Amino acid sequence: MRRALTRIVAAHALLLATAAPAAAAPSRAAAACAAVGIPVPVTAGAPSTLRVSATLCVPRGATTVQVLVPGGTYGQAYWWLRGDPAKPSYAEAALASGHATLVLDRLGSGASSAPPSTAYAADTQEAVLGEVLRRVRGGLAGHRFATVVAVGHSYGSTLARSLAIHRPGSVDALVLTGEAAYAAELPWDQITHPVTADPLLRHRGLDEGYYTTAPGARARWFYDLSTADRRVVVLDELTKQPDVFSASYPLPEENAAITVPTLIVVGQQDKVVCGGTGSDCRSSAALLAQERAHYRTAELAVWVVPATGHSLNLHRTAPQWQAKALQWVRAHVG
């Protein structure tokens, strides 16, 4: 297991030392895990001169892989952290269900390549994920999978949705969390700042085109603190990542091209997605009615999780929706 993930797990165990015994370092018994580096291009059609870092875990006999794509300013830690310290993380729960997981650091984050921000094209992140999925389809690190499920958070969901629209056949099902047809208007100039001004990330030597969340912004904007463990909020801040703004966002009406089963999960208190000019998160039925107008052909399910903010995995409510999501995945892809 690569060093960065080991440090995350160790820090998690330390912060949650007073929690139940189950909150110790995540167990991946019965799953073989390895760090992998995946060659990727900076834009479609370019040579694959960059690398995306990822962790591939494969339980014995797994034929389905879930590709876990973090959102803006998040890395692999998002999928390993436990919102409820006594319960498994999303990645752990997926492995326990018998599915393999490929947990990504998107370009610019974690141990992935971080080219100058001026090198990014509008389609860079989509092209990168497209190449990752292509290589997963063809066999990765000696493993071949019959079924590929893309599971995204926030901008990671946008990217997964983009691939389902623009590259049919790249995935067999979608789980889109922290994203819906409409987003709320937020003061992003107050929420984010250049990594060059960030006390945790400025040592990485990235240019001003890379951004991250300002200190304390995650707690204010990404959580319903009534269902968040404060220690997890602290660890979220400590593991935040750099990112580069992208201009690649498919319009809601483009979702009509998606034909694979699709599950949308949003927290009812998601300040990024819900409220004002954003999506209708009053109930699962209300959000389903909104989304159904765009997903005309896909088999669509929608869940709104009460008392939960934007970073769904990092709330104590996480095990509830994660169990339902994994049941949905098994029902649709086996």
Side-chain angles (χ1 to χ4, degrees):
M1 190 59 58
R2 70 182 183 84
R3 295 176 184 174
L5 182 56
T6 301
R7 287 197 298 269
I8 289 167
V9 170
H12 197 195
L14 178 63
L15 281 173
L16 303 179
T18 60
S27 170
R28 297 173 189 81
C33 296
V36 294
I38 305 171
V40 296
V42 75
T43 188
S48 294
T49 57
L50 304 173
R51 295 180 75 81
V52 159
S53 68
T55 301
L56 176 66
C57 294
V58 185
R60 186 182 300 275
T63 59
T64 294
V65 61
Q66 296 194 32
V67 180
L68 308 185
V69 191
T73 73
Y74 278 98
Q76 292 192 44
Y78 179 77
W79 300 103
W80 292 112
L81 296 182
R82 296 166 168 180
D84 182 338
K87 300 292 178 64
S89 66
Y90 185 93
E92 292 175 294
L95 291 170
S97 77
H99 289 176
T101 60
L102 181 68
V103 189
L104 304 178
D105 282 322
R106 290 189 298 103
L107 202 67
S109 69
S112 293
S113 297
S117 62
T118 53
Y120 284 71
D123 75 331
T124 290
Q125 294 287 3
E126 182 178 339
V128 167
L129 182 58
E131 180 63 13
V132 168
L133 293 174
R134 187 188 73 80
R135 290 179 179 271
V136 169
R137 283 285 194 202
L140 185 64
H143 298 279
R144 300 185 70 89
F145 302 101
T147 306
V148 179
V149 181
V151 185
H153 167 243
S154 192
Y155 182 55
S157 294
T158 303
L159 291 172
R161 184 167 56 87
S162 299
L163 268 296
I165 293 169
H166 299 146
R167 303 190 191 189
S170 58
V171 296
D172 298 297
L174 291 172
V175 178
L176 308 177
T177 73
E179 193 223 35
Y182 309 109
E185 293 184 3
L186 296 180
W188 288 108
D189 60 332
Q190 301 174 28
I191 298 171
T192 64
H193 67 174
V195 294
T196 52
D198 192 85
L200 289 175
L201 298 178
R202 60 191 175 201
H203 70 280
R204 294 199 184 185
L206 301 172
D207 63 67
E208 290 188 350
Y210 280 87
Y211 76 96
T212 193
T213 50
R218 291 165 110 78
R220 179 179 179 185
W221 294 101
F222 293 172
Y223 284 88
D224 179 339
L225 292 175
S226 70
T227 59
D229 188 304
R230 297 287 179 152
R231 296 163 295 180
V232 175
V233 178
V234 169
L235 190 53
D236 183 14
E237 179 71 23
L238 293 175
T239 57
K240 68 182 180 181
Q241 294 295 318
D243 221 317
V244 174
F245 283 110
S246 172
S248 179
Y249 289 87
L251 297 173
E253 49 265 33
E254 294 182 66
N255 294 345
I258 297 175
T259 58
V260 298
T262 301
L263 169 64
I264 297 171
V265 186
V266 174
Q268 194 169 43
Q269 304 304 319
D270 188 331
K271 297 181 179 73
V272 178
V273 174
C274 310
T277 60
S279 292
D280 187 349
C281 305
R282 292 172 298 169
S283 67
S284 299
L287 188 59
L288 176 60
Q290 171 191 290
E291 297 297 307
R292 175 57 70 191
H294 305 297
Y295 290 83
R296 297 188 182 92
T297 56
E299 186 173 350
L300 182 66
V302 172
W303 294 331
V304 172
V305 186
T308 303
H310 185 60
S311 296
L312 291 99
N313 280 352
L314 307 183
H315 289 69
R316 289 194 298 271
T317 56
Q320 303 167 27
W321 75 262
Q322 289 169 356
K324 292 176 66 175
L326 291 169
Q327 183 179 23
W328 180 90
V329 171
R330 287 194 298 272
H332 287 84
V333 303

